[in-house]
Amino acid sequence: MTNLYEQLVRPLLFFLEPEAAHHFTIASLRRASRFGPALRVLKQFAPPSKPKTLFGLNFPNPIGLAAGLDKNGVALPAWAALGFGFIEIGTVTAMEQPGNPKPRIFRLPAQQAVINRLGFNNEGADAIAKRLSSLRASGRWPAVPVGVNIGKSRTTPLERAADDYLYSFRLLRDFADYITLNVSSPNTPGLRGLQEPAALSRLLHAIGSEPGTMAKPVVVKISPDLTPVELEAVLAVCEENEVAGIIATNTTLDHSSIPPELDEEGGLSGTPLREKSTALVRSIAANAKIPVIASGGICDAKSAREKFDAGAQLLQLYTGFVYRGPRLLREIMQAI
Ligand SMILES: Cc1cc2nc3c(=O)[nH]c(=O)nc-3n(C[C@H](O)[C@H](O)[C@H](O)COP(=O)(O)O)c2cc1C
């Protein structure tokens, strides 16, 4: 039973082109989300709870779903039934957008990695706010914290980035237990420039000046490719603006561990990202008081423990979950 995903489901999914497999999975979980008996089946895979409180929120366990798997927030009940201790949807942008041309997701099974250059394909803040509103009204809202990850629309110039984030923030904050400002995806030109101190300050100030923001934890998701000096500057700006947490990290543009014949343009995730990402977690925990949510290369119990040992408070899974399935959650929970 525990090997069902790796032995049966994954071979079938990996038979499909990566984005087709992704759509099939999301469509299945979306259907399951509306069907009580299906949710009860998924719950059989859920690990026992291990509660944790952070920035005023109660997490049934510290293992969350990373942004990008459910960009449009269509399967919240199913993720909770599978046992995730929190769910981050998005990245959501102010405007609906198609993302980059396909193909744009590439599996590297031997490396336990993925390269993607999706470019924030999503239905846009208005449509997603509407969906979250009907889920709330339906009574099927999950009993775990939900984060909404927001980013900049591709066509909005960088100088107007704060307005773009604000648009999504205003529409989505009431549905979110916390909001993530994504300033680190490598597939939207110029986005990572928002990590520069002046730009980040402007963005955090704009969000922080919104009425009601104080009650909503705002976290910043950073790139693993920041130099130590850049990281120090990001942390100083985040502390100054009372950011509730840092997600370390997004995908990397460092493809040095990937054989050239397998390489593709885009952000690299999974095992090759692990060490670099953990180094940032360690550095933040040692130099700042801001809690860290670790994301990057968590593919087994050992890599999960490594993140906690480095000082992480919570973890998020993406690529490891694609390769290992729901069993990964159990395995980590048994080991921590
Ligand atoms: C296909 C794919 C799409 C992603 N989309 C997003 C996204 O929209 N927003 C975001 O903040 N991170 C996104 N990520 C990054 C993940 O949330 C995660 O931070 C990163 O992949 C590192 O974790 P991992 O090694 O466990 O995958 C994406 C990752 C992948 C593989």
Side-chain angles (χ1 to χ4, degrees), residues 293-305:
I293 301 169
S295 156
I298 303 165
C299 296
D300 52 21
K302 187 165 169 267
S303 46
R305 256 199 318 264

Side-chain angles (χ1 to χ4, degrees), residues 50-72:
K50 193 160 197 177
K52 161 117 199 156
T53 302
L54 191 70
F55 36 76
L57 300 176
N58 297 320
F59 298 83
N61 73 61
I63 322 295
L65 178 74
L69 242 168
D70 191 357
K71 286 178 188 277
N72 296 308

